[in-house]
Amino acid sequence: MAAVRDPIEIGLVVYPGVQQAAVLGLTDLFMLADQMAQARSTQAPRLRISHWQLQEGAVIRSFDSEPAGSEPGNGPAMAILPPTLGQPIARETAAPYAEWLRARHAAGATLGSVCAGAFVLAETGLLSSRAATTHWAYSEALARRFPDILLDADRLVIDDGDIITVGGYMAWTDLGLKLVDRVLGSAVMMATARFMLVDPPGREQRFYSPFAPRLNHGDEAILKVQHWLQARGARDVTLGSMAEQAGLEERTFLRRFRNATGLKPTEYCQHLRVGKARDMLEMTTRSVDQIAWDVGYDDPGSFRKVFARITGLVPGDYRRRFGVGRATQADEEG
């Protein structure tokens, strides 16, 4: 008779301010995947889902899917930090969780974070000089607090082996399915995704994140140009006209604009134009060529390339995913 293998424990960290909907959603996702795996084969690995919370100075289980009286085991093989909708956790509040996470990682556990859960994970120091992502709305705050992280907020999922970070608030489904794929296999992961009616991992955060220009940088001359560009949709503008609006010599304008906004003027204008194009693709049935002209591109082919580089999707695919109207026949080719 084959020996019964210990279940693979996945621990969800219930830190102060954590979004309970994500904690419960991940719990359900893993329980569903476990049921599907066992239905396919009694030899499939089993999952144990637990919640971990700070109580009387120690991080301990506050929920366990295993029956009462089961062996406590060696702790979770995977520890996940779900998202929060509030402000990022304070450093002193995160400290006991960070210590526990470092110990789990040293014991061989895989660590994962969703959205602002990255702030707790970063307190461990384990993200130093490593690639990571978070929700685009928290990216600047995370970069300021932890400048040594190689932050890439365009990516929805960064799987770095022993550490996985995901960006969007609802991207807990992506992280959950990625872990299911890792421990139970692709077939169980796809079956779980189909049952939950969610996309399997493979999306990018930039599909969803709008352009949010920096406006609180304190450079009044550059802010004046930003307002001017916004008002005219960045159409028919040149480096000379922007420098003239700022009252600066062109080289000085280029340097100050990039320092203030983080982008070159041409990149900034492209983001503004693509932002307007996204709105038109979502809310109108105009053809991609018409939209390209409307936002200031004489060459629709160039527009398509810029749009795909910034959003990660060609215009036709973007409309099919997010548009309220149906794509035109011309859009079917992108």
Side-chain angles (χ1 to χ4, degrees):
M1 183 176 178
V4 177
R5 290 180 292 178
D6 290 336
I8 299 169
E9 183 173 355
I10 302 177
L12 307 177
V13 184
V14 186
Y15 61 89
V18 73
Q19 190 64 21
Q20 291 292 337
V23 174
L24 298 177
L26 280 163
T27 302
D28 288 344
L29 184 153
F30 292 130
M31 286 185 168
L32 174 63
D34 184 53
Q35 292 170 11
M36 290 191 164
Q38 296 306 310
R40 285 171 174 264
S41 171
T42 56
Q43 301 302 310
R46 290 180 50 247
L47 297 185
R48 178 178 188 171
I49 301 90
S50 56
H51 299 172
W52 293 76
Q53 206 161 4
L54 184 65
Q55 296 181 14
E56 298 181 357
V59 178
I60 62 173
R61 283 189 189 88
S62 57
F63 166 82
D64 192 349
S65 64
E66 287 290 286
S70 299
E71 289 294 320
N74 298 318
M78 300 174 177
I80 298 175
L81 295 149
T84 178
L85 282 178
Q87 292 298 312
I89 192 169
R91 304 195 77 157
E92 57 273 18
T93 305
Y97 293 96
E99 182 181 357
W100 181 82
L101 289 163
R102 281 193 297 269
R104 293 310 318 145
H105 185 262
T110 297
L111 306 182
S113 68
V114 183
C115 187
F119 285 85
V120 188
L121 182 55
E123 289 292 346
T124 65
L126 296 170
L127 291 181
S128 179
S129 300
R130 295 184 66 164
T133 190
T134 187
H135 192 288
W136 56 266
Y138 291 110
S139 60
E140 288 194 12
L142 186 67
R144 283 195 302 269
R145 190 185 292 188
F146 304 100
D148 54 346
I149 295 176
L150 305 180
L151 187 62
D152 186 353
D154 280 342
R155 295 171 66 184
L156 190 66
V157 179
I158 295 181
D159 184 346
D160 205 21
D162 57 324
I163 295 179
I164 307 173
T165 54
V166 301
Y169 168 69
M170 289 299 293
W172 57 261
T173 61
D174 295 81
L175 177 57
L177 291 171
K178 180 166 280 291
L179 293 179
V180 169
D181 189 19
R182 182 178 290 192
V183 298
L184 298 177
S186 298
V188 174
M189 182 274 288
M190 290 300 296
T192 304
R194 282 195 296 269
F195 188 91
M196 296 183 68
L197 298 180
V198 296
D199 289 336
R203 300 177 292 159
E204 293 187 46
Q205 187 158 205
R206 57 182 173 157
F207 296 173
Y208 307 91
S209 56
F211 178 48
R214 295 181 194 169
L215 300 173
N216 59 347
H217 43 69
D219 191 325
E220 293 183 5
I222 300 304
L223 182 60
K224 178 184 176 183
V225 175
Q226 289 177 275
H227 289 163
W228 179 71
L229 290 171
Q230 191 73 48
R232 62 188 296 118
R235 288 176 58 92
D236 302 320
V237 296
T238 64
L239 176 60
S241 64
M242 287 187 279
E244 183 179 353
Q245 283 290 321
L248 298 171
E249 187 269 335
E250 287 187 9
R251 290 181 64 182
T252 303
F253 170 74
L254 277 171
R255 175 176 53 79
R256 285 175 57 175
F257 191 94
R258 188 161 193 178
N259 287 341
T261 68
L263 296 168
K264 297 177 182 177
T266 51
E267 295 170 335
Y268 190 94
C269 291
Q270 287 172 345
H271 277 276
L272 283 179
R273 293 173 182 170
V274 166
K276 290 185 177 296
R278 288 168 77 147
D279 288 342
M280 293 181 187
L281 287 165
E282 291 171 17
M283 304 305 297
T284 76
T285 57
R286 294 177 194 170
S287 72
V288 171
D289 286 0
Q290 288 174 318
I291 290 173
W293 296 321
D294 288 343
V295 299
Y297 285 89
D298 295 328
D299 179 5
S302 296
F303 164 73
R304 284 176 165 84
K305 291 178 181 177
V306 171
F307 190 95
R309 177 170 54 78
I310 290 175
T311 69
L313 294 168
V314 296
D317 286 346
Y318 185 90
R319 169 169 275 163
R320 281 186 286 275
R321 186 180 284 258
F322 299 109
V324 297
R326 300 180 66 85
T328 66
Q329 186 62 41
D331 291 342
E332 294 300 327
E333 298 177 0

